Amino acid sequence: AQSVTQLGSHVSVSEGALVLLRCNYSSSVPPYLFWYVQYPNQGLQLLLKYTSAATLVKGINGFEAEFKKSETSVHLTKPSAHMSDAAEYFCAALRRNQAGTALIFGKGTTLSVSS
Amino acid sequence: KAGVTQTPRYLIKTRGQQVTLSCSPISGHRSVSWYQQTPGQGLQFLFEYFSETQRNKGNFPGRFSGRQFSNSRSEMNVSTLELGDSALYLCASSDSNPGANVLTFGAGSRLTVL
């Protein structure tokens, strides 16, 4: 069964530091992959999507993700963290079969940003 | 375009009661999916509707049900509520084009079962 693993349930960085959130997926075929962000008491907001067209995908708010097929990873990065980046981040893979589609989510990583 | 609208945003129920949550998708989106988010289990897929038909279902008991109307609005129902049903229920819509596959989520309905 397809699965998504996010390494580290909590990541803390200082403002201005590099943000690196790790995600690995298990699939014999590179799936559609997504990163979502969730702020307190809100729903999920799409940061970026990877659809195999390129290995590096740029998203909103300065985030980007590099897809590495050999490592089955799609880690999320941002060169310089802002206080407003503090939130929970979810990696997800789209499972598509004859029955329909569904997102398989990782457990999430909470990002804390200190001044 | 208005986003995905979920109502109510917050509700409190007691064990044994039932609850109905509503979701209005983005205009033009015909696919609506529901997800349950809990601290322990994370985000889990409940079901997906397209053109008033359930075309995909997650691993949840039969107490969880849903439907979709001709205007694409969707409702989900949970009967005989249990404490463990306390969660944030998220609805997402997509336009179902093969090249799209992007789900847009609503703000969620937070259910507390006492």
Side-chain angles (χ1 to χ4, degrees):
Chain A
Q2 196 172 46
S3 66
V4 175
T5 303
Q6 290 185 242
L7 305 175
S9 60
H10 200 144
V11 171
S12 297
V13 301
S14 299
E15 195 171 22
L18 170 72
V19 175
L20 171 60
L21 305 181
R22 302 176 187 271
C23 174
N24 288 89
Y25 66 91
S26 69
S27 173
S28 58
V29 176
Y32 287 91
L33 296 161
F34 304 83
W35 277 98
Y36 283 89
V37 61
Q38 186 177 36
Y39 298 100
N41 298 317
Q42 295 187 27
L44 301 174
Q45 180 182 6
L46 180 68
L47 278 176
L48 56 84
K49 67 174 182 178
Y50 169 76
T51 58
S52 76
T55 57
L56 185 65
V57 178
K58 292 189 182 297
I60 64 171
N61 300 341
F63 284 93
E64 61 183 34
E66 183 177 8
F67 173 76
K68 293 186 177 180
K69 183 178 179 180
S70 61
E71 300 176 7
T72 60
S73 70
V74 60
H75 301 328
L76 182 71
T77 63
K78 182 173 181 177
S80 177
H82 294 168
M83 297 292 287
S84 60
D85 294 326
E88 190 160 19
Y89 292 79
F90 293 93
C91 178
L94 188 73
R95 183 189 69 203
R96 188 165 47 183
N97 54 32
Q98 293 174 332
T101 60
L103 281 174
I104 309 302
F105 284 92
K107 291 294 188 183
T109 298
T110 299
L111 175 66
S112 299
V113 182
S114 58
S115 58
Chain B
K1 259 187 183 179
V4 178
T5 303
Q6 292 188 245
T7 56
R9 287 294 313 278
Y10 303 90
L11 67 167
I12 299 173
K13 295 286 187 178
T14 57
R15 279 180 298 173
Q17 287 186 312
Q18 72 160 9
V19 67
T20 299
L21 309 178
S22 179
C23 173
S24 293
I26 290 173
S27 178
H29 284 192
R30 298 167 62 192
S31 172
V32 174
S33 303
W34 290 87
Y35 291 79
Q36 182 197 62
Q37 184 178 23
T38 60
Q41 299 299 317
L43 282 152
Q44 294 184 286
F45 170 72
L46 279 158
F47 23 65
E48 178 196 14
Y49 286 87
F50 180 80
S51 293
E52 302 178 65
T53 301
Q54 184 184 90
R55 67 176 182 181
N56 202 2
K57 190 177 191 304
N59 189 27
F60 278 82
R63 300 185 297 107
F64 291 81
S65 62
R67 58 178 175 169
Q68 186 180 33
F69 302 95
S70 58
N71 62 358
S72 294
R73 190 177 70 85
S74 177
E75 289 180 347
M76 68 163 283
N77 183 276
V78 187
S79 62
T80 320
L81 285 166
E82 301 176 359
L83 294 179
D85 297 332
S86 294
L88 180 67
Y89 290 88
L90 293 165
C91 169
S93 73
S94 70
D95 63 11
S96 293
N97 286 332
N101 298 302
V102 175
L103 275 65
T104 301
F105 285 83
S109 292
R110 184 166 296 280
L111 170 65
T112 301
V113 182
L114 302 176

